[in-house]
Amino acid sequence: MKHTFFLLVSFLFLASARADWLWKNDLVAATPEHNGYQARFTFTNNGSKPVAVAGLNFSCPCTVFDYKAAPARPGGSASLVIHLKLEGNVIPGQDLNLIVWSDSFAASKELTIHIPDEDTRGGKH
């Protein structure tokens, strides 16, 4: 009986001490920037440990990008900012899907970036 109790208490402690994120948006329209586009996603940490973006992968490995993301403390929010370059498969008018995962636990989130039509990038018709 004591063994079962300690297992239950250990499980409840681990479950309550995990990091958890809630994404404000999972679809964003990219904004044009020099030589590419920028997309910004925001998440809130609903857990009891800090959470940070550990990495991301696009559905097409030929997507050229870099990103910055600050960790979010428990109860806090943070942003994931992705810079997409005009190389690779970044085509105006399309959606790019990606998977982002955290450093604190085995969780991932699918996100989508909409690339605006070319006529929004400086008047091309």
Side-chain angles (χ1 to χ4, degrees):
M1 183 72 157
K2 285 184 183 181
H3 184 62
T4 304
F5 174 75
F6 286 116
L7 285 175
L8 179 61
V9 169
S10 298
F11 175 75
L12 291 174
F13 175 75
L14 289 173
S16 67
R18 72 183 192 130
D20 193 13
W21 55 14
L22 175 65
W23 291 83
K24 178 180 177 185
N25 47 359
D26 60 2
L27 168 65
V28 298
T31 57
E33 65 177 13
H34 178 69
N35 199 29
Y37 298 91
Q38 175 182 294
R40 179 181 301 269
F41 295 93
T42 305
F43 63 94
T44 301
N45 181 352
N46 291 336
S48 59
K49 291 178 138 183
V51 65
V53 172
L56 56 95
N57 281 331
F58 280 84
S59 54
C60 179
C62 58
T63 303
V64 180
F65 69 95
D66 60 23
Y67 72 92
K68 293 181 184 179
R73 294 183 175 167
S77 295
S79 292
L80 165 63
V81 179
I82 303 169
H83 300 277
L84 300 159
K85 298 183 179 156
L86 291 177
E87 306 164 20
N89 74 332
V90 177
I91 300 169
Q94 83 172 125
D95 290 343
L96 295 172
N97 296 317
L98 64 129
I99 301 290
V100 59
W101 62 90
S102 76
D103 63 344
S104 301
F105 66 119
S108 62
K109 175 70 176 170
E110 183 175 350
L111 304 172
T112 303
I113 300 171
H114 176 73
I115 306 300
D117 292 327
E118 278 201 46
D119 60 359
T120 63
R121 274 197 60 87
K124 294 182 184 177
H125 296 285

